[in-house]
Amino acid sequence: MDVFEDDGLLKEFFLDALEHMEGSDKLLMGLESGGDQAENIALLFRAFHSVKGGAAMFDLKDLTRLAHTIENRLDEYRQSHDPVSADDLDNFLLGADLLKHILETRCQELEDSSEKKNFDAEIDEILEAFNGSQPAPEMNLENLKAFQLEALENLEVVEAGLMDLENSPEDKELINEIFRGIHTIKGSSDYVGVKDITDLGHKLESFLDIARKDESFIMGEGQISSCLFATDVLRNLVENCLEVNYKDKNLGRAIHTIDNEIISYQSSDTNLDPMELEVFSDFLVQNFNVLGKFCDLLDDQERRPKAANSILRAVKHLKNYAKRKGEKVIGGLSEEVYQTIKSSDLNGEDLEVLKEKLATLIDCLETKINSVQEKLIEMATQSVDIEETMVDVLSTVADDLQVTKSIGGEDDKKERVSSTLRIEQELADNFTNLVGELTVAKNSLFHLVEGLKSSSERDRAMALSTYSKLSNDIAQLSNELNYNVMKMRMVPVKQLFSRFPRLVRDLSKKVDKPVKIQLFGEETEIDKTIAEKLVDPLVHMIRNSLDHGIEKTENRIIADKPEEATVSLSAKHEGSKIVIELKDDGGGIDTERVLDKALKNNLVKPDQIEKLTHDEIISFIMLPGFSTAAEVTDLSGRGVGMDVVKSNIEKLKGKINVSSERGVGTTFRMELPLTMAIVEALMVEDAKRVYAIPLDNVTETLKVKKSDIFTLMGRRCVSLRGDVVGIDSLKNILFPEQIDSEPETDSDDRLINIVILNVDGKSMGIILDKILKNEDIVVKALPDVYKNNKLLAGASILGDGRAILIVDTNNIISMVSEGSMLSHASVS
């Protein structure tokens, strides 16, 4: 038995609700007598909120409507802390009395099976009193932000559920989960006053309600696609709900799409609720009017073609409806009209036949319309169609959003939900405790410094050990704070990966290639900022993979591969990096085509071809404007995707490698730092300036005699274990226009410091005056004077207060290589 039809459970609810309402009079009177308003309002709010939630669960619309209205007004006072007006106090008392009376009446009706009494008039009177007592509150920005965050989380669940539904179309529990997500969004949007979201949410909710209640209804691919389209529009509306008067151009189309799915519901129209039945009636009337209007225009020879096209569109809609609802008469007549228009020239006898068949169809529609409208009148006498309940975001946000933290964006920029982090309470508590301990250590340090100013030599010597211990304590606290901040910024990579099943689904249909996606390592944590900036690169790679990486189905069959291709996306931690790999089992990269294209684009000389490795040939696909696609499509082929991917990854201080085997598939491997806020760097000095070189690309440091340096093809080089490595001084690389060439020295035995860098298999050495030490540094934005220098990655502040520049090793190697020698002489 359905729990909502269990009289025992329903009676238990009525009794519990009456208990909630027992103390309402005392609390309301306490507001008038000067009691603790905040506490009384909070208790009243919880009582009415509980009654509303239970009434909504049992679909008791009159109780829901009344309790929700009172709850709303109480919440306004709960947040504003304004004194309750005399009018509202009277209305609260009247509303509580009516609510208790309805509960008692409904409980009695269960016991004696009497006819259900209608309280709509009394409820309307209370609602009008509340509406007249106080103007509607202004839209609250904090409420909207809370709604936005919750709605986007629910949309993630809804979209994932719809994707799973394709594999399990009969899973009613899955449909229930999707329904609950949309129901929550709809109700919450109504509460915060976002009408467009409410309207579309209600349409989608109505259709999902049909799907979950009718055991014979199976969600097909078309219905799932309609729901996904509506979900996309909902997401766009939610993401932009902070913008006043924002409108989505696809809103009307989304509502119309879901309307058509409701109309096409495969069961008798007696199963529809009043709103759905009214939509159905409107659909019939609309097509009835279209057919009647354009039937009359068929006699006008000049306007006949346009009229016939309009009739054709209308009967196609009717055919679709009739086929799925089992309306054989309307379906048969629509099919006859459709075939007559398609197969005749609409002149003479053919025209008369068409007009006769149209007249029969119009008469049939009129009969059906009358039947539906009679049903609507009958249902109107039994119930009133009202908005269903909603989930109150404001009452739960304080519990759910225990800690939020802004992680980016300037004050003058529009705030978006992506700038918010949800942090576990334990992390926030640890952070608070560490800050407290750091404050104690800071105070102790100041106290020690002040004491040293007036102390004797002996006291200062004794204070040294205290100072040393205090320094160690501060260092440890700093490390723990750093760890906690990093943990706060970390999110499961699942938040990044979850959007790609939908992308693969849509693209696979677009390119007509069956493709599935597999996700691995979804619980691996990544810095939220990095995750957000990885979306575009991954989209580019997936689009390329599906468009011309994966073969057509017939080619896969010939190659003895499964018809359905596989794309896998994985994440894992390796040391201090996170590694993300995108693999496909497509045809792989044709190195001959790549090499041919590289020659045509003058990216490589014919005499260099033999020296190029397999991986070096493949790396050409990352160059700007490079594409081997035979034709340009709306997905790829212009050569502007992979170079963007590479540059975006490098901006994140990461690197990307491509490996491919012909006929087996292609793998893109991205290595990224766990966080962009703090990096481990090698501190060096050159031309009396201190620089930081990130250790990620440093392979070794060495000292060589000046006599060991030789010139090859105009570039200074050293021999490193048999390999020739090009070298240059850091000052000449960074500021060639400012620094004079290095002066000659008398001694060939002078030792020169060199740091060897390696990026994507290419190596070079940097000559430095001094190599200092390793140090963790905090990355800051570059000063304006250096912002156009692509060889610098950022700036930082040392412990002694000096500002230093951070070298971008990726760009140094690529720009030095492109400048003169791509061969193994300078960069090997």
Side-chain angles (χ1 to χ4, degrees):
M1 176 184 290
D2 193 328
V3 296
F4 299 113
E5 298 175 356
D6 190 327
D7 286 351
L9 289 175
L10 193 56
K11 184 174 181 180
E12 185 176 342
F13 159 69
F14 288 140
L15 296 175
D16 287 342
L18 284 168
E19 285 184 11
H20 281 301
M21 298 309 300
E22 272 183 3
S24 61
D25 284 350
K26 182 179 179 181
L27 293 170
L28 287 167
M29 296 307 295
L31 294 175
E32 192 173 47
S33 62
D36 187 338
Q37 175 171 305
E39 183 179 358
N40 286 2
I41 290 288
L43 292 171
L44 284 165
F45 175 85
R46 284 197 288 271
F48 282 97
H49 180 70
S50 298
V51 173
K52 180 204 73 172
M57 186 178 70
F58 289 98
D59 204 26
L60 303 171
K61 297 184 178 181
D62 50 1
L63 283 168
T64 302
R65 187 159 65 119
L66 177 58
H68 178 56
T69 300
I70 298 173
E71 175 196 35
N72 277 355
R73 184 52 56 86
L74 285 167
D75 191 53
E76 293 170 18
Y77 284 112
R78 187 166 68 116
Q79 295 193 58
S80 68
H81 305 292
D82 293 335
V84 178
S85 68
D87 288 341
D88 270 346
L89 186 58
D90 291 340
N91 293 332
F92 285 140
L93 288 165
L94 290 171
D97 290 342
L98 179 57
L99 195 59
K100 285 186 284 187
H101 178 57
I102 296 175
L103 287 167
E104 291 166 351
T105 303
R106 296 283 182 257
C107 194
Q108 185 62 37
E109 288 168 354
L110 278 180
E111 294 180 358
D112 57 20
S113 301
S114 58
E115 186 176 349
K116 190 174 180 180
K117 184 178 178 181
N118 190 302
F119 292 96
D120 289 332
E122 292 89 336
I123 293 174
D124 287 340
E125 186 177 349
I126 294 290
L127 266 57
E128 289 176 8
F130 273 116
N131 289 335
S133 65
Q134 183 174 318
E138 293 182 0
M139 190 176 293
N140 188 300
L141 183 60
E142 291 302 316
N143 297 352
L144 275 175
K145 288 181 180 178
F147 158 72
Q148 188 183 55
L149 185 64
E150 293 289 331
L152 286 172
E153 289 181 355
N154 277 302
L155 282 170
E156 293 288 345
V157 174
V158 167
E159 191 165 279
L162 287 169
M163 297 294 294
D164 291 340
L165 203 58
E166 284 196 318
N167 299 322
S168 308
E170 299 182 9
D171 190 343
K172 293 298 180 183
E173 184 53 41
L174 194 54
I175 296 176
N176 275 327
E177 183 181 2
I178 298 167
F179 171 84
R180 286 191 292 270
I182 294 296
H183 180 72
T184 299
I185 293 168
K186 182 211 74 171
S188 303
S189 66
D190 184 44
Y191 193 90
V192 296
V194 189
K195 186 178 184 298
D196 287 349
I197 297 175
T198 305
D199 292 344
L200 180 54
H202 183 70
K203 290 289 184 186
L204 190 53
E205 176 191 39
S206 297
F207 175 63
L208 292 167
D209 198 40
I210 293 170
R212 74 189 184 107
K213 287 180 177 177
D214 188 348
E215 292 298 325
S216 65
F217 185 89
I218 298 177
M219 289 277 274
E221 183 177 336
Q223 287 102 338
I224 293 174
S225 293
S226 295
C227 292
L228 284 169
F229 173 66
T231 303
D232 287 343
V233 177
L234 270 179
R235 177 182 292 277
N236 193 38
L237 288 167
V238 170
E239 288 177 344
N240 292 279
C241 69
L242 301 182
E243 295 184 26
V244 179
N245 300 324
Y246 177 81
K247 294 294 180 183
D248 189 301
K249 62 181 180 180
N250 290 318
L251 176 61
R253 180 182 161 203
I255 290 176
H256 180 70
T257 300
I258 301 301
D259 271 345
N260 282 343
E261 296 297 347
I262 293 173
I263 291 162
S264 302
Y265 168 45
Q266 190 175 2
S267 66
S268 77
D269 51 50
T270 56
N271 287 333
L272 298 176
D273 67 22
M275 175 168 282
E276 294 157 350
L277 198 58
E278 189 173 350
V279 170
F280 173 42
S281 176
D282 290 343
F283 173 78
L284 292 177
V285 170
Q286 181 183 9
N287 285 282
F288 174 82
N289 292 335
V290 168
L291 294 178
K293 174 184 177 182
F294 289 103
C295 182
D296 295 337
L297 295 177
L298 288 173
D299 291 327
D300 186 334
Q301 188 171 358
E302 185 178 339
R303 304 170 74 179
R304 188 179 301 158
K306 181 178 179 182
N309 284 332
S310 298
I311 293 170
L312 198 64
R313 284 195 297 270
V315 294
K316 281 176 70 176
H317 286 307
L318 286 168
K319 277 172 54 184
N320 181 53
Y321 148 73
K323 181 180 178 181
R324 298 174 69 179
K325 282 200 52 113
E327 292 283 351
K328 294 182 180 180
V329 177
I330 293 177
L333 291 171
S334 298
E335 179 66 28
E336 288 181 15
V337 172
Y338 181 83
Q339 293 300 334
T340 301
I341 296 175
K342 296 290 285 187
S343 61
S344 68
D345 58 6
L346 302 182
N347 287 312
E349 186 177 343
D350 288 342
L351 180 60
E352 294 304 316
V353 171
L354 174 60
K355 289 171 66 177
E356 183 179 337
K357 290 180 178 180
L358 265 175
T360 305
L361 176 58
I362 290 170
D363 288 342
C364 181
L365 285 174
E366 186 175 15
T367 301
K368 187 66 179 178
I369 289 168
N370 291 334
S371 171
V372 172
Q373 290 181 343
E374 286 176 6
K375 181 67 179 176
L376 274 172
I377 294 172
E378 178 186 344
M379 296 175 75
T381 61
Q382 299 174 357
S383 64
V384 176
D385 179 42
I386 60 172
E387 285 292 322
E388 291 188 28
T389 190
M390 61 198 164
V391 176
D392 177 11
V393 173
L394 301 180
S395 63
T396 58
V397 71
D399 297 327
D400 293 339
L401 294 178
Q402 293 166 333
V403 182
T404 58
K405 180 178 175 64
S406 173
I407 62 164
E410 300 171 13
D411 295 339
D412 58 344
K413 291 185 179 178
K414 178 173 60 179
E415 286 190 52
R416 294 205 176 264
V417 71
S418 61
S419 64
T420 303
L421 276 176
R422 179 168 288 193
I423 298 167
E424 294 181 6
Q425 183 67 46
E426 183 180 357
L427 270 178
D429 291 342
N430 288 341
F431 189 82
T432 303
N433 291 336
L434 287 170
V435 170
E437 292 181 31
L438 190 62
T439 302
V440 172
K442 178 198 71 174
N443 293 337
S444 299
L445 185 61
F446 285 151
H447 179 74
L448 182 63
V449 170
E450 290 299 321
L452 287 172
K453 289 180 180 179
S454 58
S455 61
S456 63
E457 287 293 330
R458 183 175 172 228
D459 291 335
R460 291 179 185 178
M462 294 176 61
L464 185 60
S465 61
T466 305
Y467 178 79
S468 177
K469 180 180 180 303
L470 196 54
S471 298
N472 290 333
D473 289 345
I474 291 175
Q476 183 177 351
L477 285 170
S478 177
N479 290 335
E480 290 184 25
L481 278 170
N482 175 36
Y483 174 78
N484 271 263
V485 170
M486 284 183 62
K487 289 290 290 180
M488 286 180 178
R489 296 173 62 94
M490 303 299 274
V491 295
V493 78
K494 182 178 181 180
Q495 294 187 17
L496 170 66
F497 285 3
S498 62
R499 66 190 70 201
F500 296 119
R502 170 69 184 283
L503 177 67
V504 170
R505 174 192 181 273
D506 292 345
L507 290 178
S508 68
K509 294 182 183 300
K510 192 166 189 176
V511 299
D512 194 25
K513 300 174 185 176
V515 184
K516 67 179 179 181
I517 186 169
Q518 297 177 336
L519 304 177
F520 303 99
E522 292 181 89
E523 298 308 314
T524 304
E525 291 191 326
I526 186 173
D527 189 298
K528 189 172 189 290
T529 304
I530 295 177
E532 289 167 355
K533 293 181 179 179
L534 276 178
V535 174
D536 286 343
L538 284 171
V539 168
H540 274 299
M541 287 186 280
I542 290 174
R543 286 162 66 99
N544 277 347
S545 178
L546 267 70
D547 194 24
H548 52 252
I550 291 172
E551 317 97 322
K552 290 286 187 182
T553 304
E554 55 268 25
N555 295 335
R556 292 182 65 85
I557 294 173
I558 294 172
D560 198 25
K561 289 184 177 182
E563 291 185 26
E564 185 178 46
T566 301
V567 171
S568 66
L569 193 56
S570 65
K572 60 183 178 180
H573 284 146
E574 288 188 1
S576 62
K577 295 180 179 295
I578 180 169
V579 176
I580 295 179
E581 288 188 342
L582 176 69
K583 297 181 180 180
D584 67 57
D585 63 349
I589 297 174
D590 188 340
T591 53
E592 291 184 5
R593 287 185 65 190
V594 171
L595 196 54
D596 182 59
K597 190 75 172 183
L599 283 167
K600 288 180 180 179
N601 291 355
N602 295 320
L603 298 174
V604 64
K605 296 178 181 179
D607 59 354
Q608 294 178 320
I609 291 177
E610 292 183 1
K611 299 178 182 178
L612 293 175
T613 66
H614 179 269
D615 289 343
E616 285 175 334
I617 295 173
I618 290 177
S619 67
F620 283 122
I621 69 171
M622 293 291 184
L623 297 177
F626 191 94
S627 176
T628 59
E631 59 180 348
V632 175
T633 71
D634 59 347
L635 292 184
S636 60
R638 297 187 184 276
V640 294
M642 297 312 298
D643 67 305
V644 172
V645 169
K646 186 173 185 291
S647 62
N648 284 348
I649 296 298
E650 289 176 351
K651 285 177 184 176
L652 296 174
K653 313 308 172 194
K655 59 183 179 180
I656 179 170
N657 292 316
V658 188
S659 59
S660 181
E661 184 177 347
R662 191 69 179 146
V664 177
T666 303
T667 300
F668 292 91
R669 176 185 169 94
M670 290 160 282
E671 295 182 7
L672 298 144
L674 288 180
T675 178
M676 295 176 64
I678 297 175
V679 298
E680 188 178 4
L682 176 66
M683 311 306 294
V684 299
E685 184 179 315
D686 199 50
K688 298 181 180 180
R689 295 178 181 175
V690 176
Y691 299 92
I693 301 178
L695 279 175
D696 293 342
N697 297 322
V698 175
T699 57
E700 61 182 301
T701 61
L702 61 149
K703 291 177 182 281
V704 299
K705 293 180 180 179
K706 184 187 173 186
S707 59
D708 291 333
I709 298 175
F710 58 93
T711 302
L712 181 63
M713 297 177 66
R715 178 67 61 85
R716 287 180 293 176
C717 303
V718 294
S719 177
L720 183 64
R721 292 183 290 276
D723 291 331
V724 177
V725 179
I727 62 173
D728 204 347
S729 65
L730 183 60
K731 53 181 172 286
N732 285 335
I733 293 173
L734 295 181
F735 311 107
E737 74 285 352
Q738 297 179 15
I739 307 294
D740 295 329
S741 59
E742 189 173 349
E744 294 290 332
T745 59
D746 295 330
S747 174
D748 287 340
D749 293 332
R750 182 170 66 91
L751 293 177
I752 296 177
N753 298 300
I754 298 178
V755 172
I756 303 297
L757 307 178
N758 185 286
V759 177
D760 296 336
K762 298 175 182 178
S763 298
M764 74 166 291
I766 297 181
I767 301 172
L768 300 156
D769 292 343
K770 294 180 182 178
I771 297 175
L772 304 175
K773 61 178 179 177
N774 293 356
E775 189 170 327
D776 289 337
I777 58 173
V778 179
V779 180
K780 301 290 185 182
L782 279 169
D784 290 340
V785 69
Y786 294 123
K787 279 191 174 179
N788 293 326
N789 192 323
K790 295 182 179 180
L791 301 179
L792 298 174
S796 188
I797 305 294
L798 297 180
D800 59 8
R802 283 183 295 169
I804 62 168
L805 297 172
I806 304 170
V807 176
D808 191 325
T809 50
N810 287 315
N811 280 345
I812 280 183
I813 287 190
S814 62
M815 292 182 73
V816 169
S817 300
E818 294 166 6
S820 57
M821 299 174 62
L822 185 61
S823 67
H824 296 270
S826 64
V827 183
S828 59

